[in-house]
Amino acid sequence: MDAPDSPGSVGSPGSAGSPDTDGMLAEQLLRLTRRLHRIQSRQLEPIDITPAQFRLLRTVASYDAAPRMADLARRLDVVPRAVTTLVDALEASGRVRRAPDPDSRRVVRVEITDEGRATLRSLRSARRAAAEEILAPLTADQREVLGGLLSALVDGMPERRC
């Protein structure tokens, strides 16, 4: 019989797993997520940025034009107050700046600064290092299979808002 953590204990591809197997898979995914979060936090610490700030900074950089705070809250699926707190911290570190909207005095936009772009470059290296640490036990073929499985999980289910 396969050990609980062995690859052969999951069942055949495409088959529905038993409740025990599905529960074990869910627990393994949660453990992996926590481990990845710990590794990423450790990688981000020298850069003096939190994972949430990193996510916001990446999101700001992904827009063609400076997004509104409400756009960021919607994209990140958080309450606007959470965005305000993150922007405050990133602005204090010089990584973003608030800018008035040219069309409405009530709207505030968030722009990434040169310091923010430099931070993103450093963060990408830290993220690669965290991924390498997590994926180190896998061969190239196993990584490719894992990528396909994760894509199927991410792309196969509609997002639900909590």
Side-chain angles (χ1 to χ4, degrees):
M1 177 175 229
D2 291 320
D5 289 336
S6 71
S9 67
V10 177
S12 62
S15 66
S18 70
D20 288 343
T21 301
D22 289 349
M24 182 190 66
L25 287 172
E27 178 61 28
Q28 287 175 313
L29 287 170
L30 288 171
R31 287 176 48 211
L32 181 60
T33 300
R34 287 191 297 264
R35 182 170 174 228
L36 184 57
H37 184 76
R38 280 192 310 272
I39 291 168
Q40 185 177 16
S41 293
R42 191 176 66 236
Q43 296 284 344
L44 297 178
E45 193 174 332
I47 301 169
D48 194 30
I49 192 168
T50 67
Q53 291 169 356
F54 176 31
R55 186 171 174 230
L56 180 81
L57 192 61
R58 273 192 350 252
T59 302
V60 171
S62 73
Y63 281 88
D64 292 331
R68 299 174 308 146
M69 301 276 273
D71 297 331
L72 294 169
R74 191 169 27 264
R75 173 83 64 91
L76 295 170
D77 197 22
V78 298
V79 296
R81 178 70 190 126
V83 170
T84 300
T85 301
L86 292 170
V87 169
D88 287 347
L90 289 170
E91 188 173 39
S93 67
R95 293 173 173 137
V96 300
R97 69 176 149 262
R98 287 177 168 89
D101 185 289
D103 300 323
S104 173
R105 293 186 331 190
R106 294 181 298 169
V107 174
V108 174
R109 296 199 174 261
V110 180
E111 298 175 337
I112 190 166
T113 63
D114 290 340
E115 176 68 23
R117 284 183 197 70
T119 299
L120 277 179
R121 285 190 294 275
S122 296
L123 292 170
R124 286 185 187 108
S125 295
R127 194 171 211 196
R128 275 192 299 277
E132 287 172 14
E133 186 175 335
I134 284 284
L135 298 173
L138 302 180
T139 66
D141 288 344
Q142 289 172 323
R143 289 175 189 209
E144 190 172 322
V145 169
L146 178 61
L149 293 171
L150 291 173
S151 291
L153 290 173
V154 169
D155 300 338
M157 295 185 64
E159 287 190 37
R160 291 186 289 166
R161 295 182 78 106
C162 297

